[in-house]
Structure formats: C-alpha cells, structure tokens
C-alpha cells in the first residue's frame, strides 16, 4: 500500500500528512527534515506508519525496540552507523529503551541518544524515526534536536468508519455507523477485540443487539484505571427532588441534543455541594438521558500535569461522552487563604490552550470556595444542597416501597423530621439501620435508631 493511501486513514493532522509526504519525496538534502517523532496513545497507528515507510525505503535499516531483534543499546546503534551508507534508524517505543535509575535516564544513555540526534541532523544520507506514547518522556534538549514531531490522535468517527468498512465485510452500514459513533476512546486495537466479543456473544453471528451488549461489556485501553460506563441505566426520573438542578441539567441536555441558534452549548459544568448530596447520581442521570459513555475519575488517577493534559485533550476531541472529575477541589483547589495551587494554574492553562471542549466536562466539587472567581467563571455552576424535609420524605417513601412489609411499619413523617441535616448517604445508612432494628426486635422503635436532630453550623 502506498504511503499516501495509508496517510489518508492515519489519525494525524493534514499538515502533518503533507509534511511526511514532502520529506519522503523531496530530493534536496538541504531542505528536507530527517528526524521524525511519532507520538500518541497505544494502538493509534504509529508503528503501522513507521513500518510501511520502512518497507518502501531502499535504505539499510538499523532497528532498536521491543518488537523484534535489533540493537540492544544506543551505543550499539552508534556503532552500526556507517557514514558512507544510506541508513534509516528506527527506534520503536523509545521511552522503554532508556535504562532508568532512581532519578531518571542514566547519563550514558542520554549522551548517546543526543549524539545520535546530532549525527542525523548533520548527515544527508540518514533518516531517523522514533515512536513513543507520551512526548513528555523526552526532555527539552532531546525534543529540540528532533525536527518533525507528529501527534497521533485516537481515531475519530470518520477514521473508524473507513477502517471498519475495509476490515469487516460482515458488518452492515448501520452497524458500522453505530460502532463508529459510540466507540468513544477506542483505538485500532480495541475495535477488533470488541467486534470479536460481539461475534462470540452472537454465537458466530453479528447483530446490533450483540454489538451493543459487547460495547457495554468492553473497556477501551484509554480508560483502564478510570471508572468507565458505556451506557448508564439511570435517568432524571430517578432523581428525588432537586427541581432547580434538574431544570439546569435538562437545558444542558436539550442543547446537546438539539443545538439552538444563538445559544451557546454548555460543555463545562461544576456540580458543587457537600458529599452525599447527589452530584455523582446527577452525572449518571445525564449520561443515561444523553446515551453518552461516562468516564469518571478521581484525584488518585490524576496525580500529575501529564495526566490532566491527557484528560483535557480527550475532552477536547470527543463530543459524545461525559468526563467527570470527582472531588476536583482536592486536586485543583487551594487551601483557604493560600495562593493559587500549581495544579489549578496548569489546569487553567490547558483549558485556554484547548481549541474547544467537545465532551461534556463536569467537575464534582465539595468546597467551591477553594476556587477563585477567574476559574469558576469558565463553568456553569450547579449547587447541590442537603435534602429538604420534602426530599427526605420522598426518599424514605421510595425506600419503604422496596422493603416489603417492614417498610410499612415506619413512621415516614417522623423519620423525615428527625433526619434534618443528613445527606442522602446518611439517609441510606439510617434506613438500613432501621430495617435491621425492625428485623431483630419484637417491639422496634424508630427512636432507637434516629439521632437527635443535627445542628447545622455555618
């Protein structure tokens, strides 16, 4: 297959495609670039493009990587270089090729790698291709010596349609369209695995119902380490009370389903309120109403600027999903009366650099006061208060309906009055305690379980 055809299906920017073709076909040694870095998530075609370039070159190949036999060190690569020969040096997954010590790459490997980059720069008969997942695994001096740096994105809907039609004749056009639209975050390795799963579920047949079932079961590589839900089975009908919050959310959903002229779509939202007041449940309901995959992550998963960057890049690229960062104030917020944290500055910078967030990006926040006005101003803020007496009563009624005969023994009005100041989580625990008390006692009393009314400060 010709490089031009391969590039048509490669998830990189058009200017990068032109750059690759120009530098491979131009014969003027003083005006072409000779070092290429292909970087991006696993399974997006970096190695595929590199190996097809190699197949079509007449240069001698020097290989170092984990996929097949080749050089074992950068020093060995340097020894293989012959000034008189046309050579292409291919370093696959270069970040894994450095020997590491406690505080980073050992100095000898780094020195040899920089020497290699200088040789390529000064040699008209040499070419270098490097692949790696995260560009920030290389330091500034290394990156400065690499001439062309090309980012490989996860395939978009158009890329996936083209790939699926070519590879899987068993799929109908409607099945291809469904997979391409709903396989948010899938790479080119994930797609075949999900399709194989659907084929197994269908007992050697392919139906849309089995494809949907497989997509609910399958977790894309991109989301390992995150909480991923392909389709939520919760809707706004399952939300107790919260009429003001539901109205705001319904408008956001409406704008995503049917964008209106003159009304800007809401993509950045903050759900703010004490723990246990329904923020996460509302996010799940939004995902269910929209039919979008939900990617939830907490502060433990996003412990570095690099991780935050990858999340924002994902939210920037994909429109048919919800990205939910829970307890964002712990990661990004300030302690009271302190200067802005480094992480919030990095987060704001990345938001400014983003071309436009396509996903519905929601931050769950317990203490909104830990953010400054300049940060909050970017988001639509939805406040979540402790449940009112009517909401507590409605919640208890719903629990009583699910508790058979035991629920009928509960004085719902008394419980609603005596649980003032409780969150929904507190109510859940209190209800469970009530049910145990009713099961274990001949003459149960609600007052045995219910605390004295909470006193709310501040």
């Amino acid at each position: 297959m010709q490089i031009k055809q391969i590039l048509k299906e490669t998830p990189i920017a058009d200017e990068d495609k032109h750059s690759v073709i120009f530098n491979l076909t131009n014969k003027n040694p003083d005006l072409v670039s000779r070092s290429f870095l292909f970087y991006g998530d696993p399974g997006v075609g970096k190695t595929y493009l590199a190996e097809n370039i190699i197949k079509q070159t007449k240069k001698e190949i020097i290989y170092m990587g984990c996929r097949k036999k080749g050089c074992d060190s950068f020093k060995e690569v340097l020894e293989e270089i012959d000034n008189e020969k046309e050579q292409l040096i291919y370093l696959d997954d270069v970040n894994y090729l450095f020997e590491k010590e406690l505080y980073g790459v050992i100095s000898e490997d780094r020195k040899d790698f920089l020497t290699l980059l200088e040789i390529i720069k000064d040699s008209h008969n040499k070419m270098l291709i490097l692949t790696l997942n995260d560009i920030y695994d290389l330091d500034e001096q290394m990156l400065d010596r690499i001439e062309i740096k090309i980012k490989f994105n996860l395939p978009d809907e158009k890329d996936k349609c083209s790939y699926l039609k070519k590879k899987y004749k068993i799929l109908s056009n409607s099945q291809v369209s469904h997979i391409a639209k709903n396989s948010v975050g899938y790479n080119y390795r994930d797609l075949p695995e999900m399709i194989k799963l659907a084929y197994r579920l269908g007992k050697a047949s392919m139906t849309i119902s089995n494809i949907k079932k497989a997509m609910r079961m399958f977790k894309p590589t991109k989301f390992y380490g995150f909480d991923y839900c392909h389709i939520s089975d919760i809707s706004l009908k399952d939300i107790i009370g919260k009429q003001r919050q539901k109205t705001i959310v319904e408008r956001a959903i409406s704008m995503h389903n049917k964008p209106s002229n003159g009304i800007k779509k809401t993509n950045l939202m903050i759900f703010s309120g004490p723990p246990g007041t329904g923020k996460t449940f509302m996010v799940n309901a939004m995902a269910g109403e929209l039919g979008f995959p939900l990617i939830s992550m907490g502060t433990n998963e996003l412990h570095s600027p690099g991780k935050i960057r990858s999340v924002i890049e994902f939210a920037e690229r994909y429109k048919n999903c919800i990205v939910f960062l829970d307890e964002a104030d712990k990661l990004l917020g300030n302690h009271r009366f302190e200067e802005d944290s480094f992480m919030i500055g990095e987060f704001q910078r990345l938001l400014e650099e983003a071309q436009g967030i396509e996903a519905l990006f929601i931050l769950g926040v317990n203490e909104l006061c830990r953010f400054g006005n300049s940060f909050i101003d970017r988001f639509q803020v939805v406040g979540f208060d402790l449940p009112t007496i009517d909401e507590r009563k409605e919640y208890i009624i719903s629990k009583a309906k699910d508790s058979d005969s035991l629920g009928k023994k509960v004085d719902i009005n008394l419980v609603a009055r005596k649980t003032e100041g409780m969150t929904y989580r507190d109510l859940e625990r209190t209800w469970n305690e009530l049910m145990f008390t009713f099961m274990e006692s001949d003459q149960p009393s609600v007052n045995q379980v219910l605390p004295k009314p909470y006193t709310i400060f501040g």
Side-chain angles (χ1 to χ4, degrees):
M1 190 184 294
Q2 294 296 314
I3 292 298
K4 286 185 180 180
Q5 183 60 36
I6 292 169
L7 284 169
K8 280 184 182 179
E9 302 164 7
T10 302
I12 60 177
D14 286 341
E15 56 267 28
D16 289 329
K17 295 177 183 181
H18 297 317
S19 179
V20 170
I21 293 170
F22 176 84
N23 285 285
L24 290 178
T25 57
N26 197 289
K27 302 300 182 184
N28 189 331
D30 295 319
L31 295 175
V32 297
S33 302
R34 287 179 284 278
S35 57
F36 297 81
L37 171 61
F38 299 163
Y39 69 97
D41 289 309
V44 291
K46 305 184 298 292
T47 300
Y48 181 71
L49 178 59
E51 291 187 345
N52 275 280
I53 291 173
I54 289 168
K55 284 178 185 177
Q56 297 182 35
T57 185
K58 296 179 180 178
K59 293 180 171 66
E60 179 185 291
I61 308 302
I62 300 173
Y63 175 80
M64 181 179 173
C66 308
R67 292 163 59 85
K68 54 190 177 184
K69 191 173 181 181
C71 297
D72 294 323
S73 67
F74 291 106
K75 188 175 289 297
E76 193 173 327
V77 171
L78 292 174
E79 290 171 355
E80 291 286 321
I81 289 177
D82 186 334
N83 292 333
E84 302 301 318
K85 290 183 179 180
E86 295 261 334
Q87 293 176 312
L88 187 152
I89 296 92
Y90 175 34
L91 306 181
D92 192 20
D93 283 330
V94 67
N95 47 313
Y96 296 115
L97 305 181
F98 291 104
E99 286 190 41
K100 301 287 193 345
E101 57 184 13
L102 183 60
Y103 298 107
V105 176
I106 62 173
S107 57
E108 197 64 33
D109 266 2
R110 186 175 182 280
K111 180 182 175 183
D112 289 339
F113 182 64
L114 290 172
T115 300
L116 172 62
L117 294 175
E118 288 296 331
I119 290 172
I120 300 299
K121 187 178 178 181
D122 296 332
S123 301
H124 289 168
N125 61 353
K126 301 287 184 288
M127 181 176 171
L128 174 67
I129 298 177
L130 308 102
T131 67
L132 83 166
N133 297 336
D134 190 347
I135 192 172
Y136 295 97
D137 284 337
L138 302 182
D139 63 37
E140 286 184 13
Q141 278 189 301
M142 295 173 180
L143 291 172
D144 185 55
R145 287 165 170 77
I146 299 170
E147 293 168 296
I148 295 181
K149 295 169 272 288
I150 297 177
K151 181 180 180 182
F152 282 62
N153 298 303
L154 288 165
D156 61 17
E157 194 171 327
K158 183 180 176 182
D159 295 328
K160 286 182 282 191
C161 274
S162 175
Y163 170 82
L164 292 168
K165 286 178 180 178
K166 183 177 294 185
K167 189 172 176 67
Y168 295 102
K169 303 302 182 185
I170 192 174
L171 296 173
S172 67
N173 287 337
S174 61
Q175 289 171 342
V176 166
S177 297
H178 179 84
I179 294 170
K181 181 180 179 180
N182 294 285
S183 55
V184 175
Y186 281 55
N187 63 35
Y188 286 124
R189 293 180 195 149
D190 294 326
L191 286 167
E193 294 308 312
M194 186 280 295
I195 290 169
K196 289 175 190 175
L197 175 58
Y199 192 63
R200 290 198 300 273
L201 292 171
K203 297 180 180 179
S205 69
M206 194 69 75
T207 65
I208 196 70
S209 62
N210 288 323
I211 289 170
K212 289 179 178 179
K213 187 175 180 181
M215 295 184 82
R216 284 195 297 270
M217 295 169 63
F218 188 81
K219 188 172 187 176
T221 306
K222 177 78 175 177
F223 303 130
Y224 273 91
F226 299 143
D227 185 9
Y228 174 79
C229 174
H230 179 66
I231 296 294
S232 172
D233 57 2
I234 299 171
S235 71
L236 289 177
K237 293 178 182 177
D238 300 311
I239 303 288
I240 292 173
K242 307 296 179 197
Q243 289 305 318
R244 181 177 60 83
Q245 292 85 349
K246 279 200 275 192
T247 298
I248 297 171
V249 166
E250 282 169 351
R251 287 174 181 168
I253 290 169
S254 177
M255 283 189 283
H256 274 267
N257 285 333
K258 295 179 181 178
S260 301
N261 292 332
I263 301 177
K264 188 176 179 181
K265 187 167 64 174
T266 302
N267 284 81
L268 299 175
M269 303 182 79
I270 289 177
F271 286 3
S272 170
T277 51
K279 302 186 295 293
T280 302
F281 199 75
M282 185 68 81
V283 172
N284 277 276
M286 286 187 77
E289 292 284 344
L290 287 164
F292 286 178
L294 171 61
I295 302 101
S296 302
M297 53 201 73
T299 55
N300 292 335
E301 290 96 358
L302 302 176
H303 47 74
S304 69
K307 290 283 187 181
I308 293 175
R309 185 185 306 108
S310 67
V311 170
I312 290 180
E313 287 175 353
F314 181 85
E316 183 182 3
R317 183 168 174 77
Y318 289 97
K319 58 184 178 181
N320 296 326
C321 70
I322 296 178
V323 179
F324 178 51
L325 175 53
D326 198 13
E327 297 188 323
D329 44 334
K330 289 185 179 178
L331 176 71
L332 304 171
N334 309 312
H335 296 292
R336 290 182 180 86
F337 313 117
E338 290 188 1
E339 296 291 325
D340 285 353
S341 71
F342 163 75
M343 293 296 269
I344 195 172
E346 181 70 7
F347 189 83
Q348 283 187 280
R349 184 184 68 78
L350 291 167
L351 281 180
E352 287 171 0
E353 290 178 358
Q355 297 300 310
I357 299 296
E358 289 291 338
L360 189 54
F361 196 22
I362 304 175
L363 305 184
V365 172
N366 295 334
E367 298 179 81
L368 192 61
C369 62
R370 293 176 66 174
F371 295 97
N373 289 335
S374 62
F375 180 84
I376 294 171
D377 189 53
R378 298 174 181 275
F379 295 81
Q380 179 171 14
V381 179
V382 185
F384 285 74
D385 302 316
L386 293 169
T388 64
I389 186 168
D390 289 335
E391 289 170 343
R392 295 196 301 275
K393 185 175 179 179
E394 189 178 347
Y395 180 84
I396 296 160
I397 290 171
S398 71
K399 299 299 288 186
K401 287 179 180 178
D402 296 333
S403 302
D404 300 324
S405 59
L406 286 177
K408 297 176 182 178
K409 299 178 182 180
V410 176
D411 185 336
I412 289 171
N413 290 317
L414 175 63
V415 175
R417 287 198 308 274
K418 288 217 166 191
T419 51
E420 182 181 359
M422 286 191 179
T423 66
Y424 286 112
R425 286 181 198 153
D426 295 329
L427 289 169
E428 176 78 24
R429 284 190 287 266
T430 301
W431 180 262
N432 291 340
E433 199 61 36
L434 271 172
M435 291 301 97
F436 279 119
T437 301
F438 274 61
M439 285 188 290
E440 294 167 356
S441 176
D442 294 329
Q443 293 182 319
S445 169
V446 168
N447 289 318
Q448 288 177 250
V449 176
L450 294 180
K452 294 178 181 178
Y454 280 36
T455 302
I456 309 298
F457 294 96

